[in-house]
Amino acid sequence: MSSGSGRHPQAITKPALGEGEAAALVERVFGLKAAWARPLPSYDDQNFHVRVSGSRGADEYVLKVTNSEDSRRPDLVEVQTRAMMFLSAEGFPSPTPHLTKDGGTMSLEPDGGPGNKKYLVRLLTYLPGTPVAKVAATPQVFYEIGKLAASLDTALTEKFHHPSLKSLHRGQFIWNLANVPLLDQYIYALGQSKYREVVEQVIEQFKGKVVPKLSSFRACINHGDLNDHNILVEPSSASLEHPPQYRVSGILDFSDMSYGYYVFEVAIAIMYMMIESSDPLRVGGHVLAGFESVLPLTAAERGALFPLVSGRFAQSLVMAAHTARLYPDNREYLTVTARTGWRHLLAMLEAGQEAVEKTWFETAAAYGPSGGNAGDR
């Protein structure tokens, strides 16, 4: 869930197109006749589920209208789009763009309003599946998501090339996990509350336990937002004796891509999967086992997991509170993580790093050196 660069989010304008405008945009820019266009939940971009008629290709797409801040960085959006195309070619279930009538992957379009703002628009394939947030997630799902996180970052880092890759060096980007200390600018949104004290504690812990060790972590390209709404799954098997098995059918929202570290991706995935579990403190072990079946962490990376997961909770909760003040009409979507997030973060901190790590590492170890069978857990 991106909220732009490190600049103050007030500089961001979220697009506000109507359904009719979206349908007209699809026809004018992409040459497809839209039968309908329906809004989808979004953070600071605007998305529409679009069905087209008379197309020789796909019938359904997502029209993605990028916020004003990111629209000023076409190099960055182009890299993100090319990364999706690369991953699709590599066998990952990522969206791909329908080209504009001019043969481009995107187009800069005026909104027609008094401010004369312009937004980058793309038409991406609509992927099948259900968000993890809407299924009864099991250890098998968490393991698969950990495995996906490692495989995705490894492919991007080792095989993806583009002339504008340098645009992924987003030093002050608030959603890069290295930038937890920058939350100081936004913590006002929590008011004078116990939550503010908790976040201040997390930030100090991060400064002491993570920042000095960053140079020892293995660098990579991060997707940066493998959350419970950005991963789609479909049933792969089911029986009366066993819970349904799922496979990942879609990876959404590459707008938070940036250079980071492998351990960031697994920490981010752990945090968001905790949101979907009735046993949240054990989730990290299942995600970690999946991740390490592809890429084992070093001792230094494992030792940073607790403050990294806590830091991601803080990022999500603080930025949601801040952004909800700017866009109160979108409060329900913006604060979805906060419904259980504060409780999970407080439980983590109360249990303490040693106890939580013990749970994670013992759960992961139960899978055995080869990753084991996630479906048996």
Side-chain angles (χ1 to χ4, degrees):
M1 296 180 180
S2 166
S3 73
S5 70
R7 300 179 191 181
H8 205 272
Q10 265 111 332
I12 292 175
T13 300
K14 180 174 179 174
L17 275 64
E19 294 177 17
E21 293 173 295
L25 196 62
V26 169
E27 184 168 5
R28 185 176 78 252
V29 177
F30 300 98
L32 297 176
K33 180 69 174 177
W36 46 256
R38 296 170 182 165
L40 292 168
S42 58
Y43 204 84
D44 52 15
D45 297 330
Q46 190 177 24
N47 301 324
F48 292 90
H49 181 190
V50 178
R51 178 178 283 276
V52 301
S53 55
S55 170
R56 296 180 181 176
D59 294 327
E60 294 180 81
Y61 294 91
V62 172
L63 177 68
K64 192 166 188 67
V65 188
T66 302
N67 67 75
S68 62
E69 178 74 11
D70 289 346
S71 288
R72 289 196 283 268
R73 298 210 50 197
D75 56 338
L76 175 62
V77 178
E78 174 71 9
V79 167
Q80 294 165 353
T81 308
R82 293 293 174 180
M84 289 188 272
M85 297 167 70
F86 160 79
L87 289 169
S88 178
E90 289 285 311
F92 291 87
S94 60
T96 54
H98 180 91
L99 299 183
T100 68
K101 289 194 289 188
D102 296 331
T105 60
M106 58 189 174
S107 179
L108 188 63
E109 298 293 320
D111 69 349
N116 197 31
K117 292 187 181 297
K118 294 184 177 181
Y119 302 107
L120 286 172
V121 298
R122 289 171 289 169
L123 193 64
L124 305 175
T125 48
Y126 184 86
L127 299 177
T130 303
V132 170
K134 295 185 178 180
V135 304
T138 62
Q140 179 261 337
V141 173
F142 301 138
Y143 180 93
E144 291 300 321
I145 288 168
K147 190 173 178 180
L148 169 73
S151 302
L152 187 79
D153 283 11
T154 299
L156 286 172
T157 304
E158 295 182 356
K159 299 181 181 179
F160 177 57
H161 305 284
H162 191 276
S164 296
L165 267 182
K166 62 182 183 296
S167 66
L168 296 178
H169 288 290
R170 305 168 72 179
Q172 299 298 300
F173 181 49
I174 192 60
W175 287 102
N176 187 302
L177 198 44
N179 289 330
V180 166
L182 296 182
L183 291 175
D184 284 341
Q185 316 171 41
Y186 306 95
I187 203 171
Y188 78 93
L190 301 177
Q192 296 298 328
S193 66
K194 68 173 183 178
Y195 292 145
R196 179 170 181 152
E197 294 175 7
V198 167
V199 170
E200 289 171 343
Q201 175 187 341
V202 169
I203 292 172
E204 288 309 306
Q205 181 186 65
F206 193 95
K207 288 177 179 177
K209 295 186 175 181
V210 175
V211 174
K213 295 181 180 178
L214 286 174
S215 61
S216 69
F217 300 158
R218 289 167 297 172
C220 72
I221 296 173
N222 290 141
H223 173 281
D225 199 13
L226 293 177
N227 70 48
D228 44 328
H229 293 270
N230 284 343
I231 301 173
L232 307 178
V233 294
E234 287 186 325
S236 57
S237 67
S239 70
L240 295 177
E241 295 82 16
H242 299 285
Q245 301 282 293
Y246 290 95
R247 65 176 183 85
V248 175
S249 61
I251 308 162
L252 308 180
D253 195 358
F254 286 71
S255 61
D256 284 3
M257 269 184 68
S258 66
Y259 276 107
Y261 302 93
Y262 284 109
V263 68
F264 283 9
E265 201 75 270
V266 67
I268 291 167
I270 287 173
M271 177 255 146
Y272 286 114
M273 293 311 108
M274 286 177 67
I275 296 296
E276 297 307 326
S277 176
S278 57
D279 188 13
L281 293 184
R282 195 167 296 277
V283 164
H286 301 299
V287 177
L288 180 61
F291 192 93
E292 292 197 311
S293 73
V294 177
L295 185 75
L297 295 182
T298 66
E301 290 165 343
R302 272 186 157 222
L305 270 178
F306 182 90
L308 285 170
V309 173
S310 305
R312 184 56 170 203
F313 267 115
Q315 282 181 317
S316 181
L317 295 166
V318 170
M319 295 311 297
H322 170 78
T323 312
R325 289 191 174 207
L326 301 181
Y327 304 108
D329 292 345
N330 200 27
R331 172 174 290 275
E332 183 175 356
Y333 178 76
L334 293 170
T335 58
V336 65
T337 300
R339 291 170 197 164
T340 57
W342 285 114
R343 185 169 75 247
H344 293 340
L345 175 58
L346 289 169
M348 270 186 70
L349 296 176
E350 183 176 347
Q353 181 168 344
E354 184 177 350
V356 172
E357 284 181 344
K358 185 174 187 290
T359 300
W360 287 348
F361 299 159
E362 288 182 354
T363 302
Y367 283 81
S370 62
N373 184 355
D376 291 340
R377 288 168 172 77

